[in-house]
Amino acid sequence: MFKKFKIDSKLLREMDWMILITSILILLYGVVNIYISSSKDGGYYAKLQLIWMVLGLIVVYFILLVDYSVVKNYVGLIYWASIILLFSTIFIGSVVKGARGWIALGNRAIQPAEFAKVGMMLMLAKKIDDMEGNINDFKNLATLIGYAALPMILIVIQPDMGMTMVSFFIALGILFVAGLNYKVILGGFVSLFFSVLMVWNSPIMPDYWKRRLTSFIHPEGDELDSTLQLLQSQIGIGSGGFFGTGAPFRESANTSYVSQFVPESHTDFIFSILAENWGYIGAVLLLVLYGILVYRIIQAARNSKDLFGSLICVGVASTFLFSILQNIGMTIGIMPITGITLPLVSYGGSSVLTVFISIGMVLNISMRKKKIIF
């Protein structure tokens, strides 16, 4: 019975262990900063994050048991299940941070959009593989756009512009690597621009969301309202200097400036905590770890035995790249403020689980990049 749940040692030797090790190191680094940020709750969120890590690693193990080429047969089920879950937020969703994008499960909640972006990524990879990479055919491209647009529309309705942007760049990364014509890409950006304008001027987008998204342009213009979070974040990051303020080594570890004056410092603004307490050195360390992780994921894409596996890896790499740029960018004032978590560093169960699901798929692809001779 237990043999069914054992991974062959020959496959494990082929797996890219650096991806798994780096992912765990980043998450543990995040746990330390979550603890520092929890000025009111001590280590409560840090302990929860460790629990999510354990659950995530268990999920990774079960993903590795099944050849990803077999999973391809169930992509349709995964995609439509995530769409149904996402659609259900319209009726039973809980409002968190202004978006009706969460489903309560007891005293916890899940964010269906996190799982929907994984479903979309798998569906695009499968369809492009079925099309043998011929995505510039009008019918094929229209099909792909339809599968990508459906979850994004449902996410916009919530409204959650941050998750919409992540989903868009996942789709863009996959289509770009698959060979999409540059004219079509340009047309896509133009369409996105006008779509944003339509949503911006519709009742879907409340005024406070508009102020929040544009606050990074003139942060001094509304210091007591929409830009307060950004300005406090910049003060905290600036005070970190080169080596940090050393808050983790104080008698009371969670007394940093950001933990006291920046809301959501354990989730969306976790980088502010990190940069204040560990300084430039700590921020660079995180970026180096991310660089190693993304590089190895791209290598897995290059070494994949088929287009399906390669495009999944590209989708995962795109997720990391845009999420890192957007999250860190919004804390320093060069990107609009959206509810995008910093992968593996920010607190969040749905975020951690979906990242580990993605990592599990990349590891699955890396360990089955060639046929194993028994």
Side-chain angles (χ1 to χ4, degrees):
M1 175 182 173
F2 294 104
K3 289 184 179 180
K4 293 189 295 185
F5 299 102
K6 185 178 179 181
I7 303 173
D8 190 277
S9 59
K10 293 182 180 179
L11 287 174
L12 286 176
R13 284 197 294 270
E14 293 293 326
M15 190 178 81
D16 191 335
W17 285 92
M18 185 61 70
I19 292 176
L20 182 61
I21 293 169
T22 307
S23 300
I24 294 173
L25 288 175
I26 293 172
L27 189 139
L28 293 176
Y29 192 19
V31 167
V32 173
N33 289 282
I34 290 169
Y35 173 76
I36 298 169
S37 73
S38 305
S39 56
K40 295 181 180 179
D41 301 294
Y44 174 73
Y45 290 116
K47 291 176 183 176
L48 280 179
Q49 190 79 338
L50 287 173
I51 292 172
W52 287 118
M53 180 187 75
V54 172
L55 292 174
L57 290 173
I58 292 172
V59 169
V60 168
Y61 186 85
F62 279 98
I63 289 174
L64 296 181
L65 288 173
V66 183
D67 192 316
Y68 73 93
S69 60
V70 175
V71 175
K72 184 180 177 182
N73 299 322
Y74 301 95
V75 166
L77 178 63
I78 295 170
Y79 175 83
W80 289 110
S82 68
I83 293 297
I84 291 171
L85 195 62
L86 189 59
F87 183 74
S88 67
T89 60
I90 299 174
F91 307 101
I92 62 173
S94 302
V95 178
V96 178
K97 303 177 188 176
R100 189 177 293 278
W102 296 77
I103 296 178
L105 296 174
N107 61 349
R108 302 257 75 85
I110 62 168
Q111 188 177 13
E114 289 280 4
F115 299 95
K117 71 182 184 184
V118 175
M120 181 195 72
M121 178 171 61
L122 290 172
M123 180 59 83
L124 289 179
K126 178 184 183 301
K127 289 296 178 181
I128 294 173
D129 188 53
D130 291 342
M131 297 169 183
E132 298 181 346
N134 184 21
I135 65 171
N136 289 303
D137 174 81
F138 178 79
K139 182 180 178 181
N140 289 346
L141 182 58
T143 300
L144 295 172
I145 291 174
Y147 280 116
L150 181 55
M152 282 191 262
I153 291 171
L154 292 173
I155 296 171
V156 165
I157 291 172
Q158 292 180 354
D160 188 339
M161 295 306 296
M163 195 62 70
T164 305
M165 292 164 66
V166 173
S167 300
F168 173 80
F169 280 95
I170 290 173
L172 180 65
I174 291 174
L175 293 173
F176 175 77
V177 171
L180 185 62
N181 188 289
Y182 289 102
K183 294 179 181 178
V184 178
I185 294 176
L186 179 61
F189 275 107
V190 173
S191 300
L192 177 66
F193 174 76
F194 284 107
S195 298
V196 169
L197 282 181
M198 289 176 61
V199 173
W200 191 269
N201 294 294
S202 71
I204 295 176
M205 186 67 67
D207 289 337
Y208 78 91
W209 261 99
K210 295 178 182 179
R211 293 194 302 270
R212 184 177 173 87
L213 288 170
T214 58
S215 61
F216 77 103
I217 300 175
H218 299 292
E220 296 81 11
D222 192 9
E223 296 183 19
L224 297 179
D225 190 8
S226 58
T227 65
L228 178 62
Q229 192 177 24
L230 171 59
L231 291 173
Q232 299 289 10
S233 170
Q234 291 175 324
I235 291 171
I237 292 173
S239 67
F242 198 82
F243 295 106
T245 60
F249 307 104
R250 297 174 188 161
E251 184 177 347
S252 178
N254 43 26
T255 57
S256 71
Y257 180 88
V258 174
S259 68
Q260 297 179 71
F261 298 106
V262 179
E264 309 297 340
S265 61
H266 64 300
T267 55
D268 300 349
F269 278 77
I270 191 67
F271 183 78
S272 307
I273 284 284
L274 187 149
E276 178 195 6
N277 289 282
W278 306 100
Y280 176 79
I281 295 296
V284 169
L285 172 62
L286 177 65
L287 293 177
V288 168
L289 289 172
Y290 273 138
I292 293 170
L293 180 60
V294 172
Y295 172 76
R296 302 299 296 196
I297 292 172
I298 292 172
Q299 287 297 104
R302 289 175 174 171
N303 296 329
S304 174
K305 65 183 179 183
D306 56 23
L307 184 59
F308 177 60
S310 181
L311 292 179
I312 290 175
C313 294
V314 169
V316 175
S318 299
T319 306
F320 272 101
L321 286 171
F322 181 76
S323 298
I324 294 165
L325 172 64
Q326 170 58 33
N327 182 279
I328 295 178
M330 76 179 185
T331 65
I332 62 178
I334 62 171
M335 296 290 280
I337 298 176
T338 60
I340 293 180
T341 56
L342 189 57
L344 296 171
V345 180
S346 297
Y347 170 77
S350 296
S351 175
V352 170
L353 279 180
T354 52
V355 170
F356 271 114
I357 289 171
S358 300
I359 292 296
M361 291 188 297
V362 174
L363 293 174
N364 194 319
I365 292 162
S366 74
M367 67 194 288
R368 293 181 169 91
K369 58 181 174 288
K370 62 182 181 180
K371 294 182 179 180
I372 308 298
I373 300 174
F374 296 95

